[in-house]
Amino acid sequence: MRSKLLDSIPESYFGKTMGRKLDIGSKPLINTAVGIPDQKVPAEVLETVQSAVQEPANNKYGVFRGKEALKEAIQKFYLDTYGVELDKDEEICILYGTKNGLVNLPLCVIEPGEGVLLPNPGYTDYLAGVKLARGTVYELPLLPANHYWPDFDALDSAVLADTRLIYLNYPSNPTGAVATRAGFDAVVRRFRGTQTKIVHDFAYAAFGFDAKNPSILQSPGAKDVAVEIYSLSKGFNMSGVRIGFAVGNKDIIGALNYYQDHTQVGMWGVVQEAAVSALKLGEPFLETQNAIFRKRRDQVTDFLTETGIPFEPMQGGIFLWLRIPPGYKSEEYVDYLLKTQSILTTPGLPFGSNGDDYIRISLAISDEEIEELLIRLKETAGLYQ
């Protein structure tokens, strides 16, 4: 038995596809479909987990809104990394994985019927949060000609007037596009003082190949209008730990904390101590991560350019946005690659209608797999002629 509200939400693409049985070709499978980091959890984090498990206080109910040590670590990390000062009590919300925050946010801040602008293409599960809040979904088209940056002037004025929340995501999943400080400055200026608020999904913050990725909170006045949601899953290789945080506008942060007071009972202290340990590693560790993916980006894009297979510039994140050959749609081409080359990719269509001419390829695979991936992709070059 499901409510009509729950039934209105499309099936989760990644929930449906992770772990499914695959009909692959004769070659060994190369799985580029999921953005799970391929590096190890930092040794310092694992050592912290081992000792924290034995601490009796960590195996009892904890403070609902998180340990002071974790909030202080987040404060220091944002100050050291982005030069942004945060109030640990009013401008930080600890999240049980950033997906929870991204999906729950509309329920906390919009009324039924109010509009939310979602990027197209964009992360698939933003939609579920708007549906659960009974909001109205508006599309925010992101186009190659504008480097996948939103053109708010091109939107209908009535849509903008009805919009209460805008989702942004840079570095972009799935396109690999990045934001600039000037771009964020302009967005903050435009919506500051209006009824519209901004949530910036900063999951791939660590990965900026041509320049360091800016935080939207670095823009003047950003805390009046924006929150940023940061994940430890990608940069710190902690996807299974399920921890992240939201920072910024105190009203939105307050609403998220209030919501979690009623839906959660304090995060396990072991997980919080693991996060503290990771954040203390700071930028030096993240730059090592970034260098790994920068090298992979350069290797793959140089090869594809030489081979004549078209793709969008990959400036950040861990995903390559690859154009598919003429005569295919994204889901058809995913099936083709799986059956002929044993390469599992992600179709662009689940990310929005503007994605149907693309597939998403994760570079979170081993160097050996990348070498083999390129050999197999070269065999498809003739399809583009």
Side-chain angles (χ1 to χ4, degrees):
M1 186 174 70
R2 289 197 304 214
S3 68
K4 291 180 180 178
L5 175 62
L6 191 60
D7 225 22
S8 72
I9 303 171
E11 189 173 14
S12 168
Y13 176 78
F14 291 106
K16 174 179 67 175
T17 57
M18 281 189 70
R20 76 187 189 278
K21 186 176 181 181
L22 300 173
D23 180 15
I24 67 173
S26 58
K27 303 173 183 178
L29 177 68
I30 300 176
N31 185 354
T32 74
V34 182
I36 298 175
D38 60 304
Q39 302 297 300
K40 294 180 179 179
V41 177
E44 296 89 338
V45 173
L46 293 178
E47 290 168 6
T48 297
V49 169
Q50 289 171 340
S51 60
V53 166
Q54 304 299 326
E55 176 58 47
N58 283 331
N59 295 299
K60 298 179 181 180
Y61 286 135
V63 177
F64 275 26
R65 298 190 178 187
K67 292 188 175 190
E68 289 294 302
L70 176 53
K71 290 187 283 187
E72 288 168 359
I74 293 168
Q75 270 186 314
K76 186 176 188 307
F77 176 78
Y78 251 70
L79 184 61
D80 292 348
T81 309
Y82 304 110
V84 173
E85 295 184 357
L86 297 169
D87 182 294
K88 65 181 174 63
D89 296 316
E90 293 195 323
E91 296 177 343
I92 296 173
C93 176
I94 297 165
L95 300 170
Y96 299 76
T98 55
K99 179 175 175 177
N100 277 4
L102 292 164
V103 173
N104 291 333
L105 189 65
L107 191 63
C108 299
V109 300
I110 71 166
E111 299 298 334
E114 291 183 334
V116 181
L117 274 170
L118 299 183
N120 177 8
Y123 179 56
T124 59
D125 285 321
Y126 297 152
L127 176 63
V130 184
K131 292 283 190 179
L132 288 171
R134 295 181 170 87
T136 299
V137 176
Y138 295 125
E139 283 196 356
L140 183 60
L142 303 179
L143 303 174
N146 204 36
H147 307 290
Y148 294 100
W149 186 255
D151 181 0
F152 292 106
D153 292 329
L155 297 178
D156 187 288
S157 59
V159 167
L160 278 177
D162 188 50
T163 294
R164 295 294 174 267
L165 190 62
I166 299 170
Y167 277 70
L168 299 177
N169 168 219
Y170 297 98
S172 166
N173 172 16
T175 70
V178 297
T180 64
R181 172 67 184 273
F184 277 148
D185 288 352
V187 171
V188 169
R189 282 196 303 270
R190 180 171 197 131
F191 293 102
R192 190 181 181 193
T194 72
Q195 297 183 77
T196 303
K197 297 293 185 279
I198 300 161
V199 53
H200 178 225
D201 177 0
F202 208 19
Y204 299 93
F207 306 99
F209 307 131
D210 306 315
K212 181 179 176 178
N213 292 311
S215 161
I216 196 173
L217 298 184
Q218 292 173 295
S219 296
K223 288 184 184 179
D224 294 337
V225 69
V227 293
E228 189 158 73
I229 296 187
Y230 192 99
S231 173
L232 277 73
S233 293
K234 315 301 181 180
F236 291 103
N237 302 320
M238 294 169 63
S239 57
V241 180
R242 308 313 305 143
I243 185 167
F245 51 86
V247 291
N249 180 271
K250 65 180 182 179
D251 294 327
I252 300 176
I253 295 298
L256 272 172
N257 272 319
Y258 186 84
Y259 175 83
Q260 290 194 156
D261 287 346
H262 292 281
T263 58
Q264 313 288 350
V265 189
M267 180 180 288
W268 192 26
V270 174
V271 172
Q272 295 187 60
E273 292 191 29
V276 171
S277 179
L279 291 170
K280 285 180 178 178
L281 297 173
E283 276 203 281
F285 180 85
L286 296 179
E287 180 48 43
T288 300
Q289 289 280 90
N290 191 40
I292 292 170
F293 280 84
R294 183 190 294 116
K295 180 181 177 182
R296 293 175 181 177
R297 186 278 306 258
D298 292 345
Q299 177 186 1
V300 171
T301 57
D302 287 350
F303 177 88
L304 293 176
T305 300
E306 293 171 5
T307 309
I309 296 177
F311 60 93
E312 295 300 321
M314 184 182 176
Q315 298 170 301
I318 65 174
F319 301 114
L320 180 76
W321 198 225
L322 188 80
R323 182 171 279 277
I324 63 177
Y328 288 90
K329 289 300 182 182
S330 62
E331 292 178 323
E332 295 171 342
Y333 195 56
V334 165
D335 288 341
Y336 173 85
L337 287 177
L338 187 61
K339 290 174 182 176
T340 64
Q341 298 294 337
S342 300
I343 301 171
L344 179 61
T345 61
T346 304
L349 183 60
F351 298 98
S353 57
N354 288 339
D356 207 14
D357 291 329
Y358 297 86
I359 57 172
R360 193 193 75 174
I361 291 179
S362 170
L363 300 190
I365 57 177
S366 70
D367 292 342
E368 293 76 18
E369 287 178 308
I370 285 180
E371 292 281 358
E372 179 63 23
L373 172 70
L374 297 182
I375 292 170
R376 298 185 197 180
L377 287 178
K378 188 174 184 178
E379 297 181 18
T380 70
L383 298 173
Y384 293 88
Q385 305 304 316

